[in-house]
Amino acid sequence: MKQKFYDTAVKQEKVVLVGVITPNETEAREKEYLEELEFLVATAGGLTVKTFTQKLQRPERSTFVGTGKLEEIKEYVVAEEIDIVVFDDELTPSQMRNIERELQVKILDRSNLILDIFASRAQTAQAKTQVELAQLQYLLPRLTRLWTHLERQKGGIGMRGPGESQIETDRRLILNKISLLKERLKLIDRQNETQRKNRQQLIRVALVGYTNVGKSTIMNMLAKSDVFAENKLFATLDTTVRKVVIENVPFLLSDTVGFIRKLPHHLVECFKSTLDEVREADILIHVVDVSHPTFEDQIRTVNETLKDLKVVDKKTITVFNKIDAFNPADHNIDIKDTPLTMDDFNHSWMAKNNAPAIFISATEKENVEEFKTMLYDAVKKIHTERYPYDNLLY
């Protein structure tokens, strides 16, 4: 008998992206959002093969895009054997149900995709609990489409009377699990609070910024540690704290989860406890990827999230990272002498609008010593104010 061989390798799923251009958005901005969505898909392990966009006053209530566009997507999905269709905005439960019925493939929205990445990245008990809580809160209003095959009430001996439909049973189970996870998070929070109290003697510095700007690389450079750093979104999910000593000043440096545009609200809520490191920090280091064509939008997104966390009044140092990859043409800067010198960067509008600011390349170790000096001066100032009779610095 001839032996059969089966391919057990995990097949990369083929993905189609869908976005809507409303009057508030430009085509260029929507293109950039979809490029970021493509990066999210790649981070999750998918392969984007095509992108569909449609100009609308507002997304369609029932199917998000118009019926003609949905038919066009359906034809492509069938012809190219697409596995998943991802929408750039959060879909309502009814939109997801209608689109799924029409396209007959797996449908994800931006929130769902981010949750999936978070689930694969979570390492600690806290991160896993936070992600599970966010997933259940996302799932709760979307239960209907999971139980379309069960329309009848439960029956049988001991179950007669008002009865309880399967969907109601599941809703009750999920609500119970949500309250259980919230209690577990409160317990983890109390444990973390105790840990933080033990660290109160030292000045605390937190790295914040958009996702994939190089926060973990800077953390590894300053703390000589081995925090996981990768050119993917949300490589860091668990907050990492390391003790750093610059000259004679010790302080605690924490690396936090990166921010992103259109971050689902319930996800921010669930990760509030992780972001306590940001709230309780004395100094924030706002890391910016200066090589990104729309880094100004990223700065705005981070500042808005920091405003939500009520930490905008903290001492902040803006670190423009990746200057080695900076391309003036991406920012409509017309100069003859490229690349820009450090003096050009220091006298640019970037430095003036985000003072105090410094320009570095963490991977190439460019201008790193100047950054350490700036950080040393900031930590030393707070340390001497807080502990005026501490002989550590003398």
Side-chain angles (χ1 to χ4, degrees), residues 119-265:
S120 67
R121 291 278 194 241
Q123 296 292 321
T124 62
Q126 182 180 18
K128 284 175 182 174
T129 307
Q130 288 168 327
V131 171
E132 192 180 350
L133 178 60
Q135 284 177 319
L136 290 175
Q137 287 175 335
Y138 176 85
L139 181 66
L140 194 59
R142 293 167 174 81
L143 276 175
T144 320
R145 67 188 242 275
L146 302 178
W147 289 109
T148 48
H149 61 294
L150 289 174
E151 299 295 341
R152 290 193 201 147
Q153 298 277 320
K154 268 188 182 176
I157 299 166
M159 296 296 286
R160 300 189 208 284
E164 185 177 32
S165 68
Q166 181 66 51
I167 194 164
E168 284 165 349
T169 310
D170 282 9
R171 191 170 280 131
R172 182 166 50 78
L173 288 170
I174 286 179
L175 286 168
N176 289 345
K177 190 76 192 281
I178 284 173
S179 60
L180 186 75
L181 289 171
K182 282 182 176 174
E183 285 303 311
R184 196 182 295 167
L185 273 179
K186 279 181 190 170
L187 178 67
I188 294 170
D189 279 352
R190 282 199 294 274
Q191 291 168 348
N192 289 348
E193 212 173 296
T194 308
Q195 287 176 356
R196 284 196 290 269
K197 273 179 188 167
N198 296 337
R199 304 196 293 248
Q200 271 178 347
Q201 286 292 308
L202 292 170
I203 303 301
R204 280 148 71 176
V205 180
L207 289 158
V208 296
Y210 209 76
T211 182
N212 200 44
V213 293
K215 295 186 295 298
S216 297
T217 308
I218 290 174
M219 174 83 167
N220 292 338
M221 177 189 75
L222 290 173
K224 299 180 177 66
S225 59
D226 55 354
V227 175
F228 179 65
E230 191 183 9
N231 185 29
K232 282 190 176 177
L233 302 177
F234 303 115
T236 304
L237 202 58
D238 301 291
T239 301
T240 313
V241 182
R242 294 281 183 272
K243 184 180 177 182
V244 178
V245 181
I246 297 179
E247 293 186 34
N248 57 342
V249 179
F251 60 92
L252 292 173
L253 181 66
S254 56
D255 181 15
T256 57
V257 62
F259 306 138
I260 197 168
R261 268 185 299 255
K262 300 181 184 177
L263 190 64
H265 179 69

